[in-house]
Amino acid sequence: MKPLPDLTDLPGALLASIGQRVDRIDTPSLVVDLDAMERNIQRMADFARKHGVRWRPHAKMHKSAEIALLLQRAGATGACVQKVAEAETLAAGGVNDIFISNEVVAAPKLLRVARMAAQLAARGGRLAIAVDSAEGIERLAEAMALAGSTHGIDVFVEIDVGQGRCGVPPGAPAVALALAVAHHARLRFAGLQAYHGRAQHFVSATERREAIAAAVRAAEHTRALIVAAGLPVPLVTGSGTGTLVHEAASGVYGELQAGSFLFMDADYARNEREPAQPAFEQALFVKTQVISVSDSHAVCDAGHKSHAIDSGLPTVALLPPERALRYANGGDEHGVLYADGPKARLPALGRMLWLVPGHCDPTVNLHDFLIGVRGGLAMGVVERIIRVDARGALT
Amino acid sequence: MKPLPDLTDLPGALLASIGQRVDRIDTPSLVVDLDAMERNIQRMADFARKHGVRWRPHAKMHKSAEIALLLQRAGATGACVQKVAEAETLAAGGVNDIFISNEVVAAPKLLRVARMAAQLAARGGRLAIAVDSAEGIERLAEAMALAGSTHGIDVFVEIDVGQGRCGVPPGAPAVALALAVAHHARLRFAGLQAYHGRAQHFVSATERREAIAAAVRAAEHTRALIVAAGLPVPLVTGSGTGTLVHEAASGVYGELQAGSFLFMDADYARNEREPAQPAFEQALFVKTQVISVSDSHAVCDAGHKSHAIDSGLPTVALLPPERALRYANGGDEHGVLYADGPKARLPALGRMLWLVPGHCDPTVNLHDFLIGVRGGLAMGVVERIIRVDARGALT
């Protein structure tokens, strides 16, 4: 038996400490390759600049004020969120320009929205929100009145451009809502929310292109109708990491909401590549350890409480193809590893492995911390520990 | 428009407050019907007493020290956990008898285990852990020596009784490990861990019965071999909510680890019922609100960040069959509702609905709080707010 390593630098339940070597990070834990992440940010900033569009990365992915501010310093306009509680968390963390790209209809939540809008405006920022119903607009206006807001709030009308979820149909229904928004003194009509979420995950590049071409036509047509009704449309916003090439080139979308580009995941890795897409690289990994080995398989300590499996199981990273390991679902706390490659061998007991999660957003939401590593996953050190501030911010 | 309700009793991001009516709980949130939960506890206590077996509910499901202590007061022997960090959290919350029913091989974690064993022993409790390799036993013994433990730790040898995950094969390999455990002064051989996790979710009652019959034979045979080798086998432990009828009646298993019985879920509801199984009822719900309605569907604010979907999508509860709604996956933060029943209508904007999660364990792990309601989901009030202490305790 090899002697135990010095344990004194690992107090209690801490996952990692600043300056610690990568091989000492506890498992399972969520590790960000900071070098890869920063290259992804640079690629996105360059891409947006080249196309003359703004970018407002979706913070529902990273859920961290620190990362939202990092993205703003790199040129991002602000942050998107899906939930009021996410917006509150980012606002508390110093983010001043936030768009809740989702419908909110509960009166108590809308009062929180109204108060936050006033707070952000008072410090020179802004809050925006999406609507897709006349009743939602009335409820929002009433909350803004109740809060005594003098600054108002930016309101985007959401149109369904193929997602089949929220949003009114493009065309006349959206015009009616835009006019309804403009009718209220405290609501500013800010444009159209036009996000095709499903298209992000179409594996076929052709299908993605066709889906977004239809979305662009729908948004453009709706915009023209609203303008014809006498109302300017300041912005069409939407897009994601899988399709941003098309929205950016459309001349219709003025803002990209892509968030996953920052970390990427196994699901996006399966997408057929668009030549024009920036070469985003994997920056998010689950570090895991082999805790059991049998003749037929090995078992690691990362199950679906460590990574979300809604978009498929994780892949085992950083192994040469001939030594590939296949990850099979072992339940909440285990992954079962099979040696499928021609020269593959089962990993030894205690071996550390790196998983690429199937879907980055809900994976980050399982963890309280992102362990930021500088210098690569083989020899790097922990540079910072980033709190997932809005983890579990569901309301 | 109806006026907004009084909002002053809902500060900030609080989900609920004690004494509040059910209809005021924020969404999405995880709500426990305390009356149903307590009936489930009584059913389990009665069942265990009738069969003369101990029960040690798996806290990987509820992750709450408060609930672990509640179960102990009702007769449970202690708590099972899967992770060292879960054990630490329960120990900090006052739970004294904890079994880590899983393999731990990282030296820093084993030192935490050794220290915790000493701490629990010092206050009259005990810590137990599972092993399935000679190296794992050596590592554990070394950590116990390093910690200078005088009390020792209970060690269960895990055998694979059909799960295909951790554990050595039944028979000779388990005998060798039992003897290896007994060789170390600070390790006490405590028996066999023999859990068939997959069998819990076999829909067919016949398949579950046959799987556990084989598990019982394997455990009984292995126990006899260890006894023949001169080592007493104090306990065979395992079982879950889907199969506990069979382990309880086996005469071989002395302890049941079932945890899901407390809350239940949509996956267990699909299982063909065993006549002898206690009539556990659904006690865990996600409260959600309709935030968007179109001609074809409605959208609620609970997606797979609110409930785990590894064992299928949630069902919509508390609706008469002719008005059933079907929940379809709408991504991280949305559920899409279709009116499939013959008289079904889409719910109105703002309507509150109750979902039964597909799988209780990883659903609880998404939430920081369980909102405990007394008096039913229609007219009840919030009686207590239970912290999910070990949420995200992965290491």
Side-chain angles (χ1 to χ4, degrees), chain B residues 150-231:
Chain B
T150 52
H151 288 286
I153 186 169
D154 284 355
V155 180
F156 288 85
V157 170
E158 180 165 14
I159 56 173
D160 181 1
V161 291
Q163 168 83 343
R165 198 168 64 185
C166 299
V168 289
V175 178
L177 291 188
L179 293 171
V181 169
H183 170 75
H184 290 283
R186 289 186 170 93
L187 311 186
R188 284 185 300 273
F189 175 65
L192 296 174
Q193 161 74 5
Y195 175 60
H196 195 324
R198 285 196 306 127
Q200 307 309 313
H201 308 284
F202 293 163
V203 172
S204 151
T206 305
E207 281 183 41
R208 293 202 302 279
R209 188 168 54 244
E210 288 170 357
I212 300 308
V216 168
R217 283 193 301 272
E220 190 168 26
H221 172 64
T222 305
R223 183 176 67 176
L225 290 178
I226 297 172
V227 170
L231 203 57

Side-chain angles (χ1 to χ4, degrees), chain A residues 62-66 367-370 385-390:
Chain A
H62 58 75
K63 286 181 169 272
S64 150
E66 180 177 337
H367 294 262
D368 294 312
F369 298 101
L370 296 161
I385 296 173
I386 301 164
R387 185 176 282 276
V388 185
D389 307 294

